[in-house]
Amino acid sequence: MDPWIGSQPSLSLDLHVGLPPLGRHHQAKQPKVLVEENFLQLKKEPEVTALETELQRMSEENRRLSEALAAVAAKYEELRGQYAEMVVVAAAGVNTTNPSSASEGGSASVSPSRKRKPTSEEIISTHDHDDAAAPHPHHQTECTSGEPCKRIREECKPKVSKLYVHADPADLSLVVKDGYQWRKYGQKVTKDNPCPRAYFRCSFAPACPVKKKVQRSADDCTILVATYEGEHNHGQPPPPPSSSSHQHDAAGSKNNNNNNAAAKPPSPPRPVVPAAPAYQQQQQQQQQQQALVVGEPVAAAAASELIRRNLAEQMAMTLTRDPSFKAALVTALSGRILELSPTKD
DNA sequence: CGATTTTGACCGGCGC
DNA sequence: GCGCCGGTCAAAATCG
């Protein structure tokens, strides 16, 4: 969760899905409601009283949860600031030891911590809230004994996030369209899953270290599990101006050639979990950190502003594509309009 | 012909 | 030390 989102007034929709809150409703000068209130007061059955009590209790709980959420957001912001500082310090240390980082030198040298396998715990802990699993400050301070190198390597592991996507069972291609261009560089059948796992590298930027693994879920073959490792060092590639049927995923467009992709659904798969916004938040934070690593505060601030704007646009696009969100929005807005509109009948 | 995918070989970490 | 296994490489194949 990104506290920035919560702090943005434009994104605070104040939606009321379902019945409008009674607390405000009682104060509205609407004859209809007053009649109902009088009716309720006259009746004042135990059931009504119980419901009112329950409502009050839930309102109180809602308020408490909101406060807790705000506290968590503040804590998160604080931790992120600490992490950013650590990244700057670590980058300074790396730059002193490895000044040739700007050289192209092939992706293998750029790829961090090659053949480092995340444990299942790491995958679970980083799922959908990567920054919560960002290197913990106290971990690095504990590098004084034991296996410091190993510890450092663990801390330098690329971020891992997972995306679950519905896919047509008849469609055997391992394509997850996420807006980026990927180049497949390997496929492997793993021990724990009969379905093959495909390995992709980001092909939009040659030096982009991000990798993606796509594999069907062992439990449900209609679900594609895309595991992202690393951070994009570039923005999201813009959609092509023409060719409405063009796919953002290069692997996907190429896979149309083989017979496996013959049954590819025309519409993009719908995410099982709302991980796309989270991933975009990750990109935003990644890019913010990238700017911080460069060590130019002004550029970082400008990039941050730009990234936030892009993030908002991307989130809006993602949400507007979601039918369930649209339905909820329509319900909430209609309820809100009915609540606010003067009753003249 | 260039870009991309496929696929077997290879490498290195890890558990026994 | 050995074997297993996941991840990557790179040559061949394929496509537009």
Side-chain angles (χ1 to χ4, degrees):
Chain A
M1 181 205 68
D2 194 331
W4 171 78
I5 297 170
S7 65
Q8 298 304 304
S10 60
L11 294 175
S12 179
L13 298 174
D14 192 22
L15 299 176
H16 305 122
V17 180
L19 291 172
L22 272 180
R24 270 189 248 168
H25 211 91
H26 280 176
Q27 293 159 4
K29 295 176 182 175
Q30 298 180 5
K32 248 185 178 176
V33 174
L34 288 175
V35 168
E36 287 173 4
E37 279 184 340
N38 290 338
F39 174 74
L40 291 177
Q41 283 171 357
L42 286 174
K43 225 179 173 185
K44 214 61 178 176
E45 290 179 355
E47 189 182 350
V48 175
T49 311
L51 283 172
E52 283 178 352
T53 309
E54 177 74 4
L55 185 66
Q56 276 190 341
R57 192 182 62 78
M58 294 194 72
S59 298
E60 182 66 22
E61 189 176 348
N62 186 26
R63 192 183 56 79
R64 279 206 320 273
L65 287 172
S66 299
E67 288 173 358
L69 185 64
V72 168
K75 193 76 179 171
Y76 167 83
E77 210 34 77
E78 181 187 338
L79 284 172
R80 205 172 71 165
Q82 290 178 2
Y83 174 61
E85 287 176 15
M86 287 166 50
V87 167
V88 172
V89 172
V94 167
N95 286 340
T96 55
T97 56
N98 186 16
S100 63
S101 59
S103 64
E104 193 218 352
S107 59
S109 59
V110 175
S111 172
S113 64
R114 184 184 156 186
K115 304 201 175 164
R116 273 286 308 155
K117 183 180 70 172
T119 65
S120 58
E121 280 182 1
E122 286 163 344
I123 290 174
I124 292 167
S125 66
T126 55
H127 166 56
D128 219 30
H129 47 272
D130 306 315
D131 289 284
H136 304 291
H138 60 275
H139 276 183
Q140 282 194 340
T141 58
E142 290 173 358
C143 289
T144 52
S145 63
E147 302 165 315
C149 295
K150 195 173 180 179
R151 176 81 73 180
I152 288 170
R153 259 192 296 168
E154 296 235 355
E155 298 295 344
C156 293
K157 264 202 308 281
K159 290 183 181 179
V160 177
S161 63
K162 277 194 170 186
L163 174 65
Y164 297 82
V165 174
H166 261 301
D168 188 348
D171 177 18
L172 299 178
S173 64
L174 295 168
V175 176
V176 175
K177 288 183 275 295
D178 50 21
Y180 284 89
Q181 295 176 353
W182 300 95
R183 174 176 176 160
K184 189 177 180 181
Y185 66 90
Q187 182 166 319
K188 196 94 177 173
V189 176
T190 55
K191 189 186 172 187
D192 56 341
N193 193 334
C195 303
R197 175 185 296 168
Y199 298 90
F200 297 91
R201 250 195 284 266
C202 181
S203 65
F204 182 71
C208 182
V210 179
K211 291 173 198 163
K212 177 172 83 167
K213 291 180 286 190
V214 180
Q215 188 174 31
R216 289 183 182 277
S217 170
D219 299 328
D220 185 355
C221 66
T222 64
I223 294 177
L224 284 174
V225 182
T227 306
Y228 297 87
E229 292 182 17
E231 307 170 357
H232 287 282
N233 56 9
H234 56 84
Q236 189 162 13
S242 59
S243 72
S244 58
S245 64
H246 182 85
Q247 301 179 14
H248 297 174
D249 195 315
S253 62
K254 214 41 180 173
N255 275 353
N256 281 337
N257 301 325
N258 62 33
N259 48 5
N260 286 349
K264 177 180 291 302
S267 59
R270 54 196 162 94
V272 176
V273 294
Y279 184 59
Q280 286 155 0
Q281 292 166 26
Q282 178 192 349
Q283 291 166 21
Q284 173 210 0
Q285 289 149 8
Q286 289 162 1
Q287 288 159 352
Q288 286 178 335
Q289 290 159 8
Q290 197 76 21
L292 285 170
V293 168
V294 172
E296 297 175 12
V298 178
S304 173
E305 182 60 31
L306 185 66
I307 289 161
R308 286 185 178 184
R309 219 174 295 153
N310 288 339
L311 174 67
E313 291 172 5
Q314 289 169 9
M315 286 183 63
M317 282 172 58
T318 304
L319 289 173
T320 51
R321 282 196 216 107
D322 188 354
S324 60
F325 174 79
K326 280 184 183 174
L329 187 61
V330 167
T331 306
L333 285 176
S334 57
R336 183 77 165 165
I337 290 168
L338 285 174
E339 180 189 357
L340 294 176
S341 64
T343 54
K344 295 179 178 178
D345 51 344

